[in-house]
Amino acid sequence: MKFVLFTMMLASAAEAFIFEPNVKVGLKAIADAQPTQQVAINLEIGQEGAESRLAITGMTVDLHNDQADYEHVAMPGKNGPHPNLSSGIRKLNLVKEGQFISLTGAKGVKAIKGCWEMVWKKDVPAGALLCGFEIPEEYRRNDATLPPGRIYLSFPIWTKESLAYAREQKKRILETAA
């Protein structure tokens, strides 16, 4: 009987260390309040230190605050280990395909099943705006390759207050380092 009791106590102690992080207060309302935003995206694909680059330019997307009610890629926030940190998956419309220049001329880059979300943990000054797409085919320029599959882009986001605080911290650190 002592063995069973001891095992049960261990399981309870282990579970005590598992916790759910809290979401930033009002995150869903922040996402809901965003007007449609058009975002221009340029990507540079290639290995660090390598000479070959696949420069994709001119991709344009519209970020809408409506829920994405269509087939889209799984998102790291909503579909990850802490879905409570997500604003929910929102609509993303591809307005203009990106393109790159190959030996045969300009080539368009398709991105499908796009969507976006905000992820923000409580009491953290910055969150992230995540955009996700599926690239349906391989794109190659010399040795640089964008393989088919999911791609995620992450952009930091701030409140006015947290950005002001971060700028003050940076200023103080730079003054101390000088």
Side-chain angles (χ1 to χ4, degrees), residues 21-40:
N22 291 324
V23 68
K24 177 173 181 56
V25 176
L27 179 59
K28 187 174 180 324
I30 292 170
D32 288 342
Q34 298 307 306
T36 298
Q37 294 286 324
Q38 192 163 88
V39 179

Side-chain angles (χ1 to χ4, degrees), residues 28-97:
K28 187 174 180 324
I30 292 170
D32 288 342
Q34 298 307 306
T36 298
Q37 294 286 324
Q38 192 163 88
V39 179
I41 298 172
N42 296 315
L43 302 171
E44 187 174 304
I45 311 296
Q47 296 291 325
E48 191 170 327
E51 292 182 21
S52 292
R53 291 281 186 256
L54 174 59
I56 300 170
T57 60
M59 179 185 284
T60 306
V61 298
D62 281 343
L63 306 178
H64 298 272
N65 65 8
D66 303 328
Q67 296 293 318
D69 57 356
Y70 52 87
E71 184 181 356
H72 53 75
V73 296
M75 293 299 286
K78 187 67 175 173
N79 304 115
H82 301 292
N84 60 310
L85 298 181
S86 173
S87 63
I89 299 175
R90 310 299 174 116
K91 285 184 180 180
L92 181 149
N93 290 336
L94 181 66
V95 175
K96 183 179 174 196
E97 290 182 349

Side-chain angles (χ1 to χ4, degrees), residues 1-177:
M1 188 65 153
K2 284 184 183 178
F3 180 75
V4 173
L5 181 59
F6 179 71
T7 303
M8 288 172 55
M9 287 175 55
L10 263 179
S12 296
E15 290 173 1
F17 291 103
I18 299 171
F19 65 94
E20 278 291 313
N22 291 324
V23 68
K24 177 173 181 56
V25 176
L27 179 59
K28 187 174 180 324
I30 292 170
D32 288 342
Q34 298 307 306
T36 298
Q37 294 286 324
Q38 192 163 88
V39 179
I41 298 172
N42 296 315
L43 302 171
E44 187 174 304
I45 311 296
Q47 296 291 325
E48 191 170 327
E51 292 182 21
S52 292
R53 291 281 186 256
L54 174 59
I56 300 170
T57 60
M59 179 185 284
T60 306
V61 298
D62 281 343
L63 306 178
H64 298 272
N65 65 8
D66 303 328
Q67 296 293 318
D69 57 356
Y70 52 87
E71 184 181 356
H72 53 75
V73 296
M75 293 299 286
K78 187 67 175 173
N79 304 115
H82 301 292
N84 60 310
L85 298 181
S86 173
S87 63
I89 299 175
R90 310 299 174 116
K91 285 184 180 180
L92 181 149
N93 290 336
L94 181 66
V95 175
K96 183 179 174 196
E97 290 182 349
Q99 65 177 12
F100 69 98
I101 305 298
S102 73
L103 291 174
T104 59
K107 298 210 179 229
V109 176
K110 292 181 182 358
I112 59 175
K113 300 181 184 175
C115 58
W116 70 275
E117 70 180 342
M118 288 183 187
V119 178
W120 207 325
K121 190 174 168 185
K122 183 179 178 182
D123 299 326
V124 175
L129 182 134
L130 304 170
C131 296
F133 309 93
E134 186 173 310
I135 304 299
E137 60 189 81
E138 178 179 272
Y139 297 98
R140 177 182 296 274
R141 183 177 184 275
N142 299 327
D143 294 332
T145 303
L146 176 60
R150 286 182 242 158
I151 185 171
Y152 297 97
L153 308 175
S154 178
F155 305 96
I157 53 176
W158 307 79
T159 63
K160 289 179 184 177
E161 297 80 19
S162 64
L163 181 58
Y165 175 77
R167 285 179 174 161
E168 185 58 38
Q169 291 286 87
K170 178 181 175 183
K171 180 180 172 186
R172 216 176 17 223
I173 289 168
L174 290 175
E175 287 172 353
T176 304

